[in-house]
Amino acid sequence: MNHQNIVLVMGCAIVLAGCKPASDALERQEETTGEEAPAKAAIPEDLDLVILNGRVMDPETKLDAVRNVGVKDGKIVAVTDEAIEGTETIDASGHVVAPGFIDLHVHGQDPYAVKLLLRDGVTTPLEIEAGAWPVEDYYDERKGKSQANYGASVAHVWARLAAMDKVDPKGLGLYSGAINASAHDGAKWSKDRSSPEQLEQIMANVEQGLRQGGLGIGFPIGYYTAVGSPEVDTVAGLAKRYNTFITTHVRYLSNIPPSGYLGLEELLAVATANEVPLLVHHVPSNCLGQTPQCLDLIDKARSAGFKVAAEFYPYTFGSSIIGADYLGPGFQERTGMDYQDITYVKTGEKMTKALLAKYRKQDPGGMMIMHHIKEPDMLAAFSRPGVFVGSDGVPFEDDKGGIPAWDAPYGVGKGHPRGAGTHAKVLRLVREKSVVPLMEAIAKLSYLQAQFLEDTVPDMKHRGRLKPGAIADITIFDPATVTDNAGSDEGKNSLPSTGIPYVIVNGTIVVKDSKVLKGVYPGQPIRNAVQN
Ligand SMILES: [Zn+2]
């Protein structure tokens, strides 16, 4: 069916004069099924943008051929081997023309972080793991001011913090601010079970977020392992009632019982029992040496017909808040790390017993980097069919611990390099290590994420594809040179990726000749319908 669509458009180009207007023709194509006579599609003559002579790769139809791509009114209207013209022209010779990358796991939602993500080929960076709350504020703050598409799940964690610690996350930084503020109240959100009254308030907060159009429920209970089963069940039940999904950072970052594997079993059980889709973030980060077994379990659930997805980032080190539950006493035995495997981002210090205790008390929301994943486990997730990429990019910090401004120089941001280099690194590893074929890698960077969301977020049916009718989120890269440049050394954490000269968001060029254009805000909200 999808192959047919492309052939139809190309076929129509040959008989251009007799064709119907494209929008009409595209609708007719979608209605075409099975043996019916194919509808003919026209390529409009007044295209806004044409991308010529690129290697078009579409992970849905598996088209992999040199084609010209025509864009009009924010949509792809032609993928053809005929000559086409438009108001703007990109020569993509020698480059791959792919669907814009979709990242469901982006904590750095500020303009500097988004600028780096665009350089890394990401057109849709969503905050799905931790989420946002209040959801309305998240969307209002970005309306008309975002260079990339934006969206967030409902943050169970902030709904819990607001209910249990009486901290209003509004106006506070997603990480340090809210978490450090809650520390004055004993950080009940992370340490306590909820009382029945608190649980009622938490769920009212989460429900408000769903009614404000939040995408599913972000449920990172690995940061509050004291949470009781009644709360876990209630979250899954609410997701079911709203016909939406749960995403999770599972309980326990541990090789020994209670292990990450056990944490995965818990979430699989509640998700499948309630028949709600589940996204398991960064599997190697929680499952550690049991990563293949965790992936097997997820595969079994998928084979049984449940909608369960798994994600990884292409690094052997992670980053989060230094006050994280899993860095409590005994972390060495659980994770295989020692103090020197943990770095405090603000000062660059490697931890000792005393330093770790000091920063966990003084700045529990401050960022750390930890080396806890073995490369074979990361590669096991990378090569597993159906497992997709999520950067888990966290906000970069400047020298003063603030977030760099949009026009701050590349490289000044301190933090985990995954916020800048994840997607180009995946493409580099495909070139250097042949981890998976390039088409599969592109699916892991775009199409699989759209597929996970599209049942509950209809807009995503039209993203993550490079075919007529799809929304024109497009990433153009040179497969021979594309590379990450961000690394762990000082001054290199936030260096932009290279070899991705053009990025197009909703039909508008936002990266041109490898430069992010200033003041161009084509980003659209990815949001469910708001209910009153
Ligand atoms: Zn996480």
Side-chain angles (χ1 to χ4, degrees):
M1 169 75 188
N2 292 312
H3 268 297
Q4 269 183 350
N5 286 352
I6 282 167
V7 172
L8 284 173
V9 171
M10 292 190 300
C12 188
I14 296 165
V15 287
L16 202 55
C19 280
K20 290 240 174 202
S23 56
D24 182 15
L26 286 169
E27 277 166 29
R28 291 175 57 203
Q29 283 174 32
E30 282 174 11
E31 289 162 14
T32 305
T33 52
E35 306 301 312
E36 283 176 37
K40 295 199 170 179
I43 299 173
E45 290 184 3
D46 54 343
L47 293 169
D48 299 328
L49 168 67
V50 294
I51 303 162
L52 304 181
N53 303 313
R55 178 182 169 191
V56 172
M57 296 185 74
D58 176 38
E60 184 180 68
T61 62
K62 305 284 194 291
L63 175 75
D64 179 359
V66 173
R67 292 283 186 270
N68 298 323
V69 176
V71 173
K72 184 170 170 56
D73 298 332
K75 290 207 168 133
I76 297 170
V77 295
V79 176
T80 177
D81 54 5
E82 296 298 308
I84 53 175
E85 290 180 2
T87 308
E88 285 188 279
T89 302
I90 295 172
D91 177 9
S93 303
H95 286 68
V96 169
V97 181
F101 303 154
I102 300 169
D103 189 338
L104 306 186
H105 196 157
V106 177
H107 304 304
Q109 293 270 320
D110 57 276
Y112 185 79
V114 170
K115 187 167 116 174
L116 282 159
L117 287 160
L118 284 163
R119 290 291 307 272
D120 204 33
V122 180
T123 52
T124 307
L126 306 181
E127 166 53 292
I128 293 284
E129 189 212 34
W133 195 89
V135 168
E136 191 169 44
D137 292 357
Y138 169 88
Y139 284 101
D140 286 351
E141 279 164 21
R142 286 160 182 80
K143 190 175 180 188
K145 289 188 247 169
S146 186
Q147 298 205 287
N149 300 316
Y150 55 95
S153 65
V154 182
H156 178 270
V157 58
W158 305 132
R160 194 168 208 270
L161 183 142
M164 294 181 71
D165 289 282
K166 308 294 179 224
V167 170
D168 180 1
K170 190 175 181 174
L172 294 167
L174 259 187
Y175 277 88
S176 317
I179 289 166
N180 285 352
S182 78
H184 298 301
D185 190 44
K188 298 190 185 80
W189 69 273
S190 82
K191 296 192 173 78
D192 291 357
R193 290 194 174 212
S194 52
S195 66
E197 297 74 31
Q198 285 170 328
L199 180 55
E200 196 175 319
Q201 185 59 53
I202 294 166
M203 298 317 295
N205 291 351
V206 173
E207 187 161 359
Q208 179 212 68
L210 290 170
R211 298 184 79 80
Q212 290 176 354
L215 310 168
I217 303 175
F219 195 42
I221 61 171
Y223 288 93
Y224 37 108
T225 53
V227 71
S229 295
E231 189 167 337
V232 178
D233 293 341
T234 307
V235 167
L238 185 66
K240 173 71 177 169
R241 199 143 63 73
Y242 275 79
N243 188 32
T244 193
F245 60 84
I246 298 175
T247 89
T248 189
H249 172 140
V250 299
R251 281 196 232 233
Y252 315 123
L253 193 159
S254 176
N255 273 314
I256 56 169
S259 65
Y261 188 91
L262 183 66
L264 172 64
E265 286 179 323
E266 174 191 36
L267 262 290
L268 272 177
V270 289
T272 55
N274 286 279
E275 297 179 286
V276 295
L278 176 70
L279 168 56
V280 185
H281 292 289
H282 47 49
V283 173
S285 178
N286 286 95
C287 289
L288 302 171
Q290 292 176 303
T291 293
Q293 291 86 338
C294 283
L295 295 170
D296 288 347
L297 193 62
I298 290 168
D299 278 349
K300 281 182 196 166
R302 287 157 63 96
S303 323
F306 294 105
K307 187 148 194 165
V308 183
E311 187 190 74
F312 80 103
Y313 49 76
Y315 296 86
T316 54
F317 49 103
S319 182
S320 191
I321 52 171
I322 199 155
D325 209 334
Y326 46 76
L327 293 184
F331 78 87
Q332 299 97 320
E333 194 189 358
R334 293 194 299 274
T335 65
M337 287 192 290
D338 211 333
Y339 291 105
Q340 68 270 14
D341 295 316
I342 304 165
T343 304
Y344 181 57
V345 169
K346 275 195 186 84
T347 61
E349 288 164 288
K350 288 196 188 301
M351 291 300 90
T352 60
K353 187 176 180 183
L355 279 177
L356 184 64
K358 175 177 138 186
Y359 289 129
R360 278 171 68 79
K361 191 161 192 295
Q362 246 176 35
D363 183 23
M367 302 307 292
M368 58 80 185
I369 286 177
M370 58 177 177
H371 289 258
H372 67 309
I373 301 171
K374 301 271 186 291
E375 191 169 29
D377 293 313
M378 181 276 281
L379 291 173
F382 191 163
S383 58
R384 183 71 64 113
V387 177
F388 54 74
V389 176
S391 68
D392 200 357
V394 291
F396 288 104
E397 294 179 7
D398 61 20
D399 272 343
K400 298 187 182 78
I403 290 176
W406 182 86
D407 51 2
Y410 291 121
V412 301
K414 294 196 289 186
H416 196 302
R418 67 192 178 193
T422 289
H423 305 82
K425 183 172 183 184
V426 164
L427 295 170
R428 175 171 66 77
L429 291 176
V430 164
R431 179 174 67 239
E432 292 175 353
K433 295 182 187 249
S434 305
V435 188
V436 294
L438 184 56
M439 184 68 90
E440 196 177 331
I442 291 172
K444 286 173 181 285
L445 293 167
S446 58
Y447 177 55
L448 294 175
Q449 289 85 338
Q451 269 196 318
F452 176 75
L453 289 181
E454 66 190 20
D455 292 344
T456 50
V457 186
D459 180 70
M460 298 308 285
K461 284 195 172 82
H462 307 291
R463 301 189 193 267
R465 283 92 167 162
L466 203 305
K467 65 172 192 176
I471 294 169
D473 290 341
I474 301 171
T475 293
I476 301 175
F477 66 88
D478 180 349
T481 64
V482 60
T483 188
D484 55 312
N485 299 296
S488 298
D489 294 346
E490 203 181 326
K492 296 200 165 168
N493 301 168
S494 53
L495 290 181
S497 298
T498 46
I500 307 178
Y502 286 90
V503 178
I504 293 140
V505 175
N506 297 302
T508 298
I509 299 174
V510 65
V511 177
K512 185 175 189 175
D513 293 327
S514 298
K515 289 194 177 62
V516 182
L517 301 178
K518 190 171 184 174
V520 177
Y521 300 115
Q524 291 290 324
I526 309 296
R527 183 175 188 174
N528 279 325
V530 176
Q531 303 173 43
N532 293 315

